[in-house]
Amino acid sequence: MKVRILLFTFSILCSLFGKAQSLEKKIYTTKKTDKELVIDGRLDEPAWEAVPWGGDFFQKDPEEGVAPAFQTKFKILYDTKYLYIAIRAFDDSPEEIEARLTRRDGFAGDRVNVIIDSYHDKRTAFVFTVTAAGVKGEEFVTQNGQNWDESWNPVWYTDAVIDDKGWTGEMKIPFSQLRFGKAKEQIWGLNFNRTIFRKNERSLWQRIPNDISGFISEAGELHGLIDLKSQKQLEIQPFTVMSYETFEKEPGNPFRDGDNFRVNGGVDAKIGVTNDLTLDVTINPDFGQVEADPGNIVLDGFDDVFFREQRPFFVENKNIFDFRVGGQDNVFYSRRIGRSPQTSANSNDGEFVDAPINSSIIAAAKFSGKTRDGWSIGVLETVTDNEYSEIDNNGDRREVLVEPLTNYFVTRVQKDFNDRKSFIGGIFTATNRDLQSINTLHKSAYSGGLDFRHEWNDRDYFIQGNFSMSHVSGSKEAIQRTQESIRHLFQRVDASHLNVDPNRTSLTGTGGRVFGGKRGGGNWRFFLGANWKSPEFELNDVGFLRQTDQIWQFGNIEYLWQNPTKIYRRASARVVLRSMYDFAGNFNRIEYETGGNINWDNNWGTEGRIGYRPRSIQNSFLRGGPRWRNSEEVYYNFAVGSDSSKRFNFSVGYGNSYGTDDSFNVKNYNLNLNYQPLDALSVTLSTSFRENINKTQYVSEELNGSTPRYVLGEIDNKNLSFTFRANYSINPNLSIQYYGQPFIARGRYSNFNYVLNSLSEDIGGRVVFLDENQVNFDANDEVFRIDENLDGITDYEFSNPDFSFAQFRSNLVMRWEYTPGSEFFFVWSQGTTGSQDPDRSLLGGLNNQILEQELENIFLIKFTYRFLK
């Protein structure tokens, strides 16, 4: 019945809103040249005279469809190996052109993006960017312009020059770096996007009105590419890494003697199997130049935190493997590969342990690409090595396996049809482990799924969805551990549809989502949808899954003000509804939200939202106990940002979430400062402070005789972090970058209480507060002892939950691309992690644990050379 209502509502909404009109496609016709052009940014070579100028750009922002402040022209030539592009960007005030030096992909200052849909699938594109300072950048675009991936790093050439008419740029793009099929004459999608930084203005060669839903699909066309020969890519990049580590010497510990030196090496290769499909191979990869993950601490029992992928091998073409089942939950999450060991070694008193930080990747291969007839293909095969903790007992050494040899396999396919407006696809993953002595991990894990998307009415309307299934198997201990994990909680005392079976050796579950709506045409947008994850669904061997036993329904309707006025450039307002059930039919959540954003005429921005949760019940809050009802909640946040094109700009944000009965109050403060004192230097400081006061924070489960006691307490939790970044570019190919983040979290507990009726609407009915006579703290053992009936006998006890955690991570990276595709890195990393006395102030703990500590240092030199064919 609910599904029928959802589909009926969706069809009514589709019929209420009009559709946009597509514009006539522009066409530029190129010609072949028999001379290889010199790329110096100056358009003075006679070969350029063979083709006409293309131009007549239209504004995209701030006022769509009108003439830009300054026009832009371009020319395109090609030979047997390269595509050549000339750009003339006119400007009446050359001295005001923002020629900011940044690292590659910095995307700051005046620039032109060349957008090439060589597949001509109207959904994906290769983007090549040159700035007025000659800095290069590139992105791979998918989902018809909704996803821009700057991790793609092809080998190509560019330069730019400022003159009295504005600035000029040249590009030389090897055909081996593009993907296209076989045809007598190639027809590619083409567009140019120019940004005039000081005016916050964007203009396009092929006009795309704001009410058009697509971007790549609406591009113009490049004609005249005759008899192009397939340029199969072959790149081999060996690398050598030398690292030296220093740390505080620990007396008696042979593994902490003060320093460590290592030499390592490996090979990366990129092989063009066809002109459409590429094989990437890495042997013994090194990711020492990758930025450290930010600090965090969790209080909800979910110890699995989602971090974005930053390793180049896994980042490139990651969109092909994407298969989301809701939120961040994904059938494939590449951070599982090379993860920290999932078990630890048991040691005795007086023994020292040297534990590995992460699993070593022996080798990985990735076969990916998209064919001209619409097949997107991705295959990933990876093997990680056995990892051992080494234990020393007065010179006697033994090794304990903590992570077994593991094979990860992922394959993904999609097929476009219906003039590229629809696709169907599938995914399959397999994880297999050589467990040996470990019986707590899955022996094998498999998952698979099917997905689809269909667009109609000039792509203004869409519907898409997926269905996935998982199967994990292993020992009885491993499967029971999965059943009882916080993601599943089969042991929940009030879950009639769940029970722990200690004899099971496998689990099979399903998940998926379906949603659709209107994303273009006119000023209205909307979508409706649902997703689900069954109780036995499990993806975390090579995917990411936070929680199961959920069925979500959601809807969003939005209105856009797309034409600028004297007050604003654009604005939007939206209304959101969400609800959630579990598989027993329990109605666990309803949530209403409204929000919007405004980009003002001075290019400042304002955004905010406010929401209300009258019903919020959690299945996981009591870690296997009964369902828990949170108090009615109101939440809101807002942020203001200044003009990002200015040398100095900032943003400030505030958020608050509180219970209407004063049972909790969570405040978030954020401040971001950006300053570019020189064209070559930019600095950023981001500060985040979070204050969480909650009278019913989970502490532990104890027994009072034979009666379970779910112990809660009032927590005063404060988190503080500072993130500092600095980028100095000596030239477009040589840069120095710094990242540093101190993070500290402190939690103090008081006013302990226990659960009486977990589903009571009133906090007084949900818990019983213990008075000071019932609570005794043993400072020597750091234990709270509870005497509920005041008979002088301890009924139960629990450890002091107070905590103070501090972490510091920093990276200083010098990167020199001494020849296209070949790089030299010098990296200096510093860090420390530890705990402190929670009685200290927040800043006092920060000073004691970070500023006064001897930091661990890692010095790394990495040298790569790319052989091209």
Side-chain angles (χ1 to χ4, degrees):
M1 180 66 182
K2 295 174 183 174
V3 173
R4 288 199 297 269
I5 293 173
L6 192 67
L7 292 175
F8 176 75
T9 304
F10 177 75
S11 63
I12 292 295
L13 287 170
C14 287
S15 66
L16 291 178
F17 303 98
K19 76 172 192 176
Q21 295 182 351
S22 297
L23 297 176
E24 182 179 350
K25 299 282 187 180
K26 284 186 173 181
I27 296 174
Y28 183 86
T29 302
T30 183
K31 292 183 180 179
K32 189 173 185 179
T33 180
D34 57 0
K35 296 181 180 180
E36 184 173 341
L37 277 65
V38 176
I39 303 302
D40 57 9
R42 296 176 173 85
L43 312 181
D44 53 6
E45 295 188 69
W48 287 119
E49 300 300 324
V51 288
W53 287 105
D56 193 19
F57 281 49
F58 291 89
Q59 267 194 46
K60 179 64 174 175
D61 295 314
E63 189 170 358
E64 196 285 315
V66 304
F70 311 114
Q71 272 293 345
T72 309
K73 293 184 177 181
F74 65 89
K75 291 185 176 186
I76 300 176
L77 287 168
Y78 73 100
D79 61 19
T80 57
K81 291 185 177 181
Y82 302 103
L83 186 73
Y84 300 96
I85 300 172
I87 298 164
R88 159 55 73 184
F90 292 100
D91 196 311
D92 290 348
S93 304
E95 69 281 358
E96 295 183 19
I97 292 173
E98 291 284 359
R100 299 189 182 183
L101 275 172
T102 67
R103 59 175 175 78
R104 185 171 181 168
D105 295 332
F107 302 117
D110 285 57
R111 59 192 180 271
V112 171
N113 313 97
V114 182
I115 302 162
I116 300 174
D117 176 12
S118 56
Y119 290 120
H120 209 210
D121 63 2
K122 301 181 182 181
R123 290 177 52 220
T124 60
F126 303 97
V127 180
F128 298 86
T129 299
V130 60
T131 75
V135 178
K136 70 167 64 170
E138 51 279 311
E139 296 161 288
F140 183 59
V141 185
T142 56
Q143 300 176 30
N144 200 3
Q146 296 183 61
N147 181 60
W148 295 64
D149 183 359
E150 64 185 59
S151 64
W152 179 56
N153 285 316
V155 177
W156 62 292
Y157 312 86
T158 190
D159 206 348
V161 173
I162 296 176
D163 59 23
D164 59 354
K165 296 180 181 179
W167 64 278
T168 58
E170 286 184 306
M171 296 180 176
K172 183 171 78 169
I173 303 169
F175 286 124
S176 63
Q177 307 299 301
L178 299 170
R179 301 290 174 264
F180 52 89
K182 294 181 179 179
K184 176 68 176 177
E185 179 184 1
Q186 300 285 333
I187 296 178
W188 294 354
L190 178 70
N191 213 342
F192 286 75
N193 174 54
R194 180 185 176 184
T195 298
I196 303 175
F197 202 67
R198 67 184 185 275
K199 293 181 176 291
N200 291 293
E201 179 188 289
R202 291 174 56 216
S203 57
L204 299 175
W205 171 61
Q206 173 67 59
R207 181 189 169 195
I208 302 177
N210 288 334
D211 60 354
I212 295 290
S213 59
F215 187 78
I216 304 303
S217 60
E218 306 307 309
E221 293 181 350
L222 175 62
H223 291 200
L225 297 167
I226 308 297
D227 291 331
L228 288 188
K229 301 298 181 183
S230 176
Q231 302 287 323
K232 293 183 180 179
Q233 189 175 10
L234 177 58
E235 302 175 12
I236 300 175
Q237 188 176 43
F239 63 84
T240 301
V241 180
M242 293 181 290
S243 65
Y244 178 64
E245 182 179 2
T246 68
F247 41 83
E248 185 176 6
K249 187 174 182 178
E250 185 178 325
N253 187 344
F255 302 120
R256 303 285 295 179
D257 58 1
D259 62 7
N260 193 12
F261 177 75
R262 292 188 179 92
V263 178
N264 197 8
V267 175
D268 297 327
K270 189 181 292 288
I271 304 165
V273 179
T274 70
N275 205 51
D276 301 311
L277 303 170
T278 302
L279 175 65
D280 293 274
V281 178
T282 184
I283 299 173
N284 193 32
D286 173 83
F287 306 113
Q289 74 276 17
V290 172
E291 188 175 284
D293 292 322
N296 71 91
I297 192 165
V298 293
L299 297 173
D300 57 7
F302 292 88
D303 56 358
D304 197 5
V305 180
F306 184 90
F307 290 114
R308 69 185 180 94
E309 180 61 86
Q310 301 184 81
R311 298 170 295 176
F313 177 84
F314 295 104
V315 169
E316 187 172 350
N317 282 343
K318 67 179 180 180
N319 62 285
I320 291 180
F321 297 92
D322 189 63
F323 196 101
R324 297 195 180 191
V325 292
Q328 293 175 327
D329 295 340
N330 206 313
V331 172
F332 176 58
Y333 175 51
S334 58
R335 290 293 295 262
R336 300 296 183 208
I337 301 172
R339 66 184 1 168
S340 299
Q342 299 173 80
T343 67
S344 58
N346 294 322
S347 59
N348 301 315
D349 291 341
E351 293 183 329
F352 297 98
V353 179
D354 183 23
I357 298 174
N358 56 268
S359 304
S360 301
I361 299 174
I362 299 174
K366 179 170 59 179
F367 178 69
S368 60
K370 185 165 187 175
T371 65
R372 187 175 180 83
D373 56 358
W375 284 98
S376 296
I377 300 171
V379 180
L380 176 69
E381 175 79 12
T382 311
V383 179
T384 58
D385 204 357
N386 288 314
E387 294 296 335
Y388 297 88
S389 285
E390 190 172 9
I391 302 176
D392 182 274
N393 187 346
N394 293 322
D396 293 331
R397 301 276 180 100
R398 69 181 187 275
E399 290 184 334
V400 177
L401 182 68
V402 292
E403 183 74 16
L405 180 75
T406 306
N407 177 265
Y408 300 94
F409 175 78
V410 184
T411 184
R412 179 80 161 104
V413 295
Q414 281 186 341
K415 177 65 171 71
D416 296 341
F417 60 96
N418 188 30
D419 193 28
R420 313 288 183 169
K421 295 178 182 177
S422 308
F423 71 73
I424 57 173
I427 192 171
F428 174 76
T429 76
T431 304
N432 291 281
R433 298 185 174 95
D434 179 16
L435 291 176
Q436 301 179 53
S437 59
I438 298 176
N439 66 355
T440 56
L441 301 180
H442 298 145
K443 172 70 174 177
S444 62
Y446 303 98
S447 63
L450 300 173
D451 64 340
F452 72 93
R453 181 180 176 94
H454 174 61
E455 299 174 341
W456 69 97
N457 277 22
D458 288 335
R459 303 178 187 268
D460 291 341
Y461 296 91
F462 75 96
I463 184 169
Q464 73 178 74
N466 62 52
F467 170 82
S468 52
M469 179 176 290
S470 68
H471 178 79
V472 297
S473 62
S475 66
K476 294 179 181 179
E477 293 83 357
I479 298 303
Q480 182 171 343
R481 183 169 175 258
T482 301
Q483 293 177 76
E484 295 177 348
S485 69
I486 196 166
R487 291 186 298 275
H488 301 277
L489 295 174
F490 281 24
Q491 71 273 31
R492 271 177 33 220
V493 297
D494 60 349
S496 59
H497 64 302
L498 300 173
N499 67 284
V500 176
D501 184 347
N503 295 313
R504 295 193 66 171
T505 57
S506 67
L507 292 173
T508 301
T510 66
R513 63 174 178 168
V514 59
F515 64 101
K518 179 176 182 288
R519 58 184 296 263
N523 296 322
W524 288 97
R525 306 286 186 270
F526 72 86
F527 66 82
L528 298 169
N531 66 59
W532 79 93
K533 285 154 274 187
S534 75
E536 295 190 356
F537 197 44
E538 176 55 55
L539 299 175
N540 285 290
D541 291 273
V542 74
F544 186 89
L545 177 64
R546 180 173 172 82
Q547 192 170 5
T548 62
D549 196 13
Q550 293 182 336
I551 304 171
W552 282 92
Q553 301 170 71
F554 48 86
N556 178 309
I557 187 165
E558 183 176 24
Y559 187 82
L560 307 177
W561 287 268
Q562 304 181 84
N563 297 318
T565 68
K566 293 181 179 180
I567 300 175
Y568 61 83
R569 295 160 70 103
R570 69 189 64 84
S572 70
R574 66 182 181 276
V575 177
V576 181
L577 171 66
R578 305 181 189 95
S579 65
M580 189 263 285
Y581 294 78
D582 64 22
F583 274 68
N586 295 311
F587 178 31
N588 284 346
R589 177 174 288 196
I590 184 73
E591 179 176 350
Y592 309 94
E593 181 182 303
T594 184
N597 61 78
I598 301 175
N599 181 214
W600 302 98
D601 183 61
N602 61 359
N603 210 43
W604 283 47
T606 304
E607 62 179 341
R609 65 171 183 158
I610 183 169
Y612 173 52
R613 294 189 185 108
R615 184 182 186 90
S616 177
I617 298 175
Q618 294 176 262
N619 289 347
S620 61
F621 179 78
L622 296 178
R623 310 329 192 237
R627 296 160 62 231
W628 168 265
R629 183 173 194 137
N630 293 306
S631 300
E632 292 185 21
E633 179 180 357
V634 175
Y635 62 90
Y636 60 89
N637 56 50
F638 65 87
V640 176
S642 67
D643 185 349
S644 61
S645 70
K646 302 301 182 183
R647 294 278 179 167
F648 174 79
N649 60 83
F650 71 91
S651 65
V652 59
Y654 172 74
N656 187 211
S657 173
Y658 62 89
T660 57
D661 58 1
D662 197 34
S663 59
F664 65 89
N665 194 328
V666 181
K667 299 177 181 179
N668 289 281
Y669 305 85
N670 295 283
L671 174 65
N672 300 292
L673 305 174
N674 304 287
Y675 182 48
Q676 185 150 13
L678 306 170
D679 281 340
L681 175 65
S682 64
V683 293
T684 300
L685 175 64
S686 300
T687 304
S688 176
F689 176 69
R690 176 184 173 90
E691 182 180 36
N692 174 16
I693 308 296
N694 191 330
K695 294 179 180 179
T696 55
Q697 174 62 47
Y698 180 84
V699 175
S700 69
E701 178 185 352
E702 308 297 337
L703 283 177
N704 184 2
S706 59
T707 303
R709 280 286 185 257
Y710 300 99
V711 182
L712 315 178
E714 180 174 344
I715 189 174
D716 178 359
N717 171 224
K718 293 181 173 65
N719 298 348
L720 177 65
S721 69
F722 300 93
T723 304
F724 179 76
R725 301 176 190 272
N727 292 281
Y728 181 69
S729 298
I730 300 169
N731 60 53
N733 298 313
L734 177 59
S735 63
I736 299 173
Q737 302 153 45
Y738 176 79
Y739 161 87
Q741 186 198 65
F743 169 83
I744 187 166
R746 189 202 65 196
R748 297 171 179 168
Y749 287 79
S750 61
N751 298 326
F752 293 102
N753 52 89
Y754 62 87
V755 176
L756 178 64
N757 178 0
S758 64
L759 293 179
S760 174
E761 294 187 17
D762 178 69
I763 187 174
R766 282 199 297 276
V767 301
V768 175
F769 285 91
L770 299 167
D771 64 40
E772 60 182 13
N773 296 319
Q774 296 172 295
V775 181
N776 298 289
F777 179 61
D778 186 333
N780 293 324
D781 294 336
E782 286 288 311
V783 168
F784 284 94
R785 295 189 170 93
I786 308 301
D787 180 8
E788 284 189 14
N789 55 12
L790 299 177
D791 62 357
I793 300 174
T794 297
D795 296 316
Y796 53 91
E797 62 183 41
F798 53 88
S799 299
N800 183 4
D802 290 356
F803 63 88
S804 180
F805 170 81
Q807 174 181 287
F808 175 70
R809 292 286 184 267
S810 73
N811 288 75
L812 177 68
V813 180
M814 186 193 78
R815 175 186 176 274
W816 177 31
E817 189 175 5
Y818 58 92
T819 189
S822 301
E823 299 168 316
F824 173 84
F825 291 95
F826 172 77
V827 181
W828 176 20
S829 297
Q830 284 190 306
T832 185
T833 300
S835 299
Q836 264 302 311
D837 183 355
D839 290 335
R840 285 181 175 271
S841 68
L842 198 64
L843 291 177
L846 181 70
N847 177 70
N848 182 265
Q849 182 57 34
I850 295 178
L851 300 180
E852 296 180 357
Q853 292 294 313
E854 180 178 342
L855 301 179
E856 297 185 359
N857 295 273
I858 299 176
F859 300 91
L860 179 149
I861 294 176
K862 182 175 181 179
F863 176 83
T864 74
Y865 185 81
R866 184 176 292 189
F867 296 91
L868 301 174
K869 179 182 178 182

